[in-house]
């Protein structure tokens, strides 16, 4: 029986390697493999938070339904909705291959827009996951208490392991 995509959950951390690569952690890597046909990671800017959003290529199939739902909600609550702008936001992702170990190179423009330095924190979000510069996550409010606590613990462990090498 083959596995099916169940969404992204949990937290993970990755330090940039000496070769400038990050590693998509196993739980996220396995979920991306199940949600893509060509082992490609998609990353874009989150539409509200100061972080990146990751997903597999099959999520693109859901974009029209997402647009319909957001447009209907905006209409229902009397909010403005620009379908073209939102469609552009959804489709402005960059794809990058990752190897069997999950290593990938984060393009410079994504590092810039995400404020990424030497570390990534991954937070599951169901249909997608967020990718944070830890410093930007720590600036978030109390609604992000759990991700911030997980990030601090995972960052401490990763940096201690990095010093031992």
């Amino acid at each position: 029986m083959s596995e099916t995509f169940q969404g992204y959950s949990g937290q993970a951390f990755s330090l940039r390697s000496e070769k400038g690569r990050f590693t998509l952690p196993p739980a996220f890597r396995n979920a991306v493999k199940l949600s893509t046909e060509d082992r490609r990671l998609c990353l874009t800017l989150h539409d509200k938070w100061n972080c990146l959003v990751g997903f597999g290529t099959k999520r693109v199939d859901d974009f029209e339904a997402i647009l319909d739902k957001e447009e209907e909600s905006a209409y229902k609550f009397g909010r403005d909705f620009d379908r073209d702008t939102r469609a552009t936001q959804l489709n402005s992702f960059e794809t990058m291959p990752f190897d069997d170990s999950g290593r990938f190179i984060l393009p410079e423009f994504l590092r810039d827009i995400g404020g990424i330095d030497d570390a990534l924190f991954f937070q599951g979000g169901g249909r997608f996951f967020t990718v944070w510069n830890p410093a930007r996550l720590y600036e978030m409010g109390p609604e992000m208490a759990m991700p911030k606590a997980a990030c601090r613990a995972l960052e401490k462990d990763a940096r201690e392991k990095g010093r031992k090498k």
Side-chain angles (χ1 to χ4, degrees), residues 11-66:
Q11 302 87 20
F13 197 87
S14 175
L15 290 172
R16 187 173 57 211
S17 73
E18 292 175 1
K19 293 183 178 181
R21 298 181 295 192
F22 289 100
T23 300
L24 189 59
F28 292 86
R29 179 171 61 241
N30 293 336
V32 170
K33 284 180 183 178
L34 292 172
S35 66
T36 190
E37 294 176 1
D38 54 1
R39 198 168 34 185
R40 296 186 69 78
L41 168 64
C42 301
L43 288 173
T44 190
L45 184 65
H46 193 282
D47 64 321
K48 294 181 183 123
W49 297 332
N50 201 2
C51 66
L52 301 175
V53 176
F55 51 91
T57 57
K58 290 182 183 177
R59 183 159 192 251
V60 175
D61 297 342
D62 298 334
F63 284 178
E64 283 303 312
I66 290 168

Side-chain angles (χ1 to χ4, degrees), residues 6 43 56 61 66 73 76 85 123 131 157 161:
Q6 299 293 315
L43 288 173
D61 297 342
I66 290 168
S73 177
K76 180 178 178 182
T85 298
Q123 174 63 54
V131 182
D157 289 347
K161 287 178 186 172

Side-chain angles (χ1 to χ4, degrees), residues 12-165:
F13 197 87
S14 175
L15 290 172
R16 187 173 57 211
S17 73
E18 292 175 1
K19 293 183 178 181
R21 298 181 295 192
F22 289 100
T23 300
L24 189 59
F28 292 86
R29 179 171 61 241
N30 293 336
V32 170
K33 284 180 183 178
L34 292 172
S35 66
T36 190
E37 294 176 1
D38 54 1
R39 198 168 34 185
R40 296 186 69 78
L41 168 64
C42 301
L43 288 173
T44 190
L45 184 65
H46 193 282
D47 64 321
K48 294 181 183 123
W49 297 332
N50 201 2
C51 66
L52 301 175
V53 176
F55 51 91
T57 57
K58 290 182 183 177
R59 183 159 192 251
V60 175
D61 297 342
D62 298 334
F63 284 178
E64 283 303 312
I66 290 168
L67 288 167
D68 291 344
K69 186 174 183 180
E70 289 180 2
E71 187 172 37
E72 181 181 321
S73 177
Y75 178 76
K76 180 178 178 182
F77 293 104
R79 293 188 304 253
D80 287 336
F81 183 77
D82 184 331
R83 190 178 181 101
D84 293 335
T85 298
R86 186 64 180 125
T88 298
Q89 289 172 337
L90 286 172
N91 286 285
S92 292
F93 59 88
E94 182 70 14
T95 63
M96 61 222 64
F98 57 93
D99 67 15
D100 287 336
S101 297
R103 293 177 298 227
F104 66 96
I105 296 174
L106 189 61
E108 185 176 351
F109 79 93
L110 282 176
R111 287 194 320 264
D112 290 346
I113 201 165
I116 305 300
D117 187 23
D118 70 335
L120 298 178
F121 173 71
F122 298 84
Q123 174 63 54
R127 298 172 297 135
F128 61 88
F129 57 93
T130 53
V131 182
W132 294 85
N133 168 337
R136 286 188 173 181
L137 175 62
Y138 299 148
E139 293 170 355
M140 297 294 287
E143 72 282 0
M144 294 297 233
M146 186 65 179
K148 289 193 291 189
C151 184
R152 281 190 181 95
L154 293 170
E155 181 175 19
K156 180 182 177 207
D157 289 347
R159 294 197 186 279
E160 285 176 0
K161 287 178 186 172
R163 280 193 277 274
K164 292 178 184 177
K165 287 184 178 182

